[in-house]
Amino acid sequence: MSKICFLVLNTVFNFGHAQGDVTSFFYLLLWIFTLILLLNLFQLNMFWHNTSSLAFIFYILCFLLFNLDVQLTHDPSSSTLFLGESVTFTCNMTAGYDSNWSYVFHRNGQHIVSKSDVSKFLQLDRTTDLSGRYQCSAYHKDSPGFIKQSNNITLSVAANRPTPTVTADRKTISEDRPTELTCSVQDSAGWKYDWFRHIFSEVQIESNVVKNTINIHRGGIYWCRGRRGSPDFLTEPSEMFYIENTLSNQATVALQHDWSQIYSGEAISMSCEIKGGGNSKWEYEWRTTTSKPPSRERTFHIRASVFSSGDFWCRGRADPFSSTEWSQTCHLRVSDKPRPTVRADKRLIPVGGNVTLTCSVDNPTEWKYYWFRHTGNISEVQTVDEGKSENVISISQGGVYYCQGGRGSPVFFTEESHRINIEKREQRPKAQIIADRDSTGGTMTLTCSVKPSSSSSSSWTYYWYRVEIASKPVELKSDTNGELVTSENGLYFCRAGRGRPVYYTESSQSVTVDIPGRCFNELVHRFLRFIQKIILINFFL
């Protein structure tokens, strides 16, 4: 009777496993039906009261219901393998009931010939095409007809050896902020990991660890590699991952001069200052939005142009993997060369006075000032004042003036300002008179002149005057040669004039003309004229 029960249970069990598409509920109904059938058989059996037979039947039933099952596993446990990788399959009876069983492995429904069909292990080497659907069968040695079928495992094989990927929550670290690196092999599992770091030489820092993450406290170049299986199957090395260590020192971009505006053509210097840098040997890195990147020196020099306008940053590097933060932005704006303007408080220098000139340019305190004056020859330039911080000068000479601003070393000059003409009003010149008696003594020659004598003296016109008794001076004549020949006694003076309207010099000193014998005759003549006037008056009365 026990054999009948065993055969019935075996048939039902194998039927349930063979029907992979039936539901668990239907499978459970089959077991319940089998149990009812067995109970009916027990009632008809003459050994119904045989306790040992009943115990054996329930033992077999419970064993088959709860314990007997076959499980197929593989190592590595990934569904994706790689060309050149080995795999080991293991066929196990559940709950440890694996004695008195033999095993057969199948791939895609075909029997795989192994060294021993009895072993529950199957290892496929690297030269085998591993793709396919795998299953194993367990045969009970005492009952060869009792067969257990395992679950299915499907493997796919990739052609290329995998390359892991390193990721991080951030690429920069500091003293109090480490970072975590993660090594990942895409679409596969079962790996252990090796970690490497390169600072000045390559060092393996972790080997054959299950955890795929590592905490990083130092800057450097990191990469990882995966391994699994027996013998070890190694992935390709990952790509290098750069970790930067941020130092606490602060970098600042400093201009040579604290000028509010930079102009085209100006020579400027820009430096990277490291706060708390001490005597460390820093290397310097620059970043800019301009087309031409700066050098790697601490200070660089440029001749400013409109193309130099942009933003600049710098940082200091202590070693290949340790640097400061980037500095704050330094904005450089380059404008065209400025042109100053000149302003005068008046355009005419008064006699004995002066005129104040002011040179104006943007941000006046940043400049020194240079003053120039054209003399009588407009092509000749005289330096009036140079290199003074004051933008105001006082002048007492007439002329054409202009200014420039200058700053830096070598000096950068602004454009020349516009020209301004300043005139000067002189102390008026005084005519001079010279008397010369001729040899006969009957006439006297008077000469009028204006000193100092120059080539322009011919432009003067000379005016002669004689002082009459009790009357205003009488104008005698005007000419350009400046000479007067007279035979009349009297008090003479002259002056010169030119231009339109006429500009007159001061009158010369007076000269007395006294020709001997001329005084008595003049007195008689004047007396006779006086008598004549009296006679004429009486006649008409």
Side-chain angles (χ1 to χ4, degrees), residues 176-193:
D176 56 348
R177 295 186 65 196
T179 190
E180 184 178 75
L181 300 183
T182 301
C183 185
S184 303
V185 182
Q186 187 176 7
D187 300 329
S188 59
W191 298 96
K192 294 182 180 179
Y193 301 91

Side-chain angles (χ1 to χ4, degrees), residues 64-77:
L64 294 176
L65 280 173
F66 301 108
N67 295 316
L68 292 181
D69 201 0
V70 180
Q71 184 177 19
L72 180 64
T73 59
H74 65 297
D75 183 28
S77 59

Side-chain angles (χ1 to χ4, degrees), residues 198-226:
H198 182 93
I199 298 181
F200 300 104
S201 61
E202 181 177 322
V203 177
Q204 183 169 353
I205 54 177
E206 295 284 354
S207 177
N208 202 26
V209 293
V210 176
K211 192 175 180 181
N212 69 333
T213 60
I214 184 173
N215 287 325
I216 299 300
H217 298 267
R218 297 181 62 185
I221 300 175
Y222 292 83
W223 70 96
C224 71
R225 181 179 65 194

Side-chain angles (χ1 to χ4, degrees), residues 48-67:
W48 171 254
H49 298 292
N50 190 326
T51 306
S52 60
S53 297
L54 183 62
F56 175 75
I57 292 172
F58 274 94
Y59 172 78
I60 294 297
L61 178 61
C62 294
F63 182 84
L64 294 176
L65 280 173
F66 301 108
N67 295 316

Side-chain angles (χ1 to χ4, degrees), residues 217-461:
H217 298 267
R218 297 181 62 185
I221 300 175
Y222 292 83
W223 70 96
C224 71
R225 181 179 65 194
R227 65 169 70 221
R228 71 181 181 186
S230 179
D232 285 336
F233 173 79
L234 301 178
T235 67
E236 298 286 353
S238 70
E239 291 187 356
M240 305 297 181
F241 197 88
Y242 189 95
I243 295 295
E244 178 84 6
N245 182 28
T246 302
L247 303 174
S248 59
N249 306 83
Q250 185 177 1
T252 304
V253 176
L255 286 173
Q256 177 185 8
H257 301 285
D258 189 19
W259 292 332
S260 55
Q261 182 64 54
I262 303 298
Y263 297 97
S264 181
E266 202 162 15
I268 61 173
S269 298
M270 198 173 288
S271 300
C272 188
E273 306 290 343
I274 307 296
K275 184 178 180 181
N279 297 322
S280 301
K281 294 183 178 180
W282 295 94
E283 292 183 359
Y284 299 89
E285 296 178 2
W286 291 89
R287 193 173 66 187
T288 179
T289 57
T290 63
S291 58
K292 186 178 179 180
S295 67
R296 299 182 68 88
E297 301 295 328
R298 174 178 176 268
T299 302
F300 70 95
H301 311 276
I302 62 173
R303 180 71 64 179
S305 69
V306 292
F307 302 104
S308 305
S309 295
D311 296 333
F312 291 81
W313 301 265
C314 78
R315 68 178 178 182
R317 181 169 294 282
D319 58 54
F321 310 104
S322 300
S323 66
T324 66
E325 292 276 9
W326 286 103
S327 66
Q328 295 291 324
T329 305
C330 176
H331 303 285
L332 181 63
R333 299 294 178 263
V334 180
S335 303
D336 292 333
K337 183 182 290 190
R339 184 183 300 275
T341 58
V342 175
R343 185 179 72 255
D345 60 346
K346 47 184 172 290
R347 294 295 186 96
L348 182 63
I349 302 175
V351 176
N354 53 40
V355 167
T356 299
L357 301 180
T358 302
C359 186
S360 299
V361 66
D362 291 341
N363 307 301
T365 58
E366 298 177 358
W367 301 91
K368 293 186 178 180
Y369 296 89
Y370 299 78
W371 289 95
F372 306 93
R373 171 180 173 264
H374 288 290
T375 59
N377 186 349
I378 196 66
S379 63
E380 296 179 1
V381 178
Q382 175 187 8
T383 301
V384 179
D385 203 357
E386 61 179 347
K388 299 287 184 64
S389 299
E390 293 292 330
N391 66 335
V392 176
I393 62 170
S394 180
I395 60 171
S396 59
Q397 287 183 297
V400 178
Y401 289 82
Y402 66 94
C403 73
Q404 279 183 291
R407 68 183 186 184
S409 178
V411 178
F412 167 77
F413 288 98
T414 66
E415 300 283 2
E416 295 177 354
S417 71
H418 65 283
R419 268 58 173 171
I420 185 170
N421 185 26
I422 302 298
E423 295 182 355
K424 182 176 181 179
R425 177 176 295 166
E426 299 290 343
Q427 313 249 24
R428 183 174 298 191
K430 186 174 182 179
Q432 295 181 347
I433 191 169
I434 299 175
D436 185 20
R437 193 186 303 271
D438 65 359
S439 57
T440 62
T443 61
M444 183 171 288
T445 301
L446 302 178
T447 303
C448 187
S449 63
V450 178
K451 291 187 177 182
S453 177
S454 65
S455 59
S456 60
S457 61
S458 60
S459 61
W460 293 100
T461 298

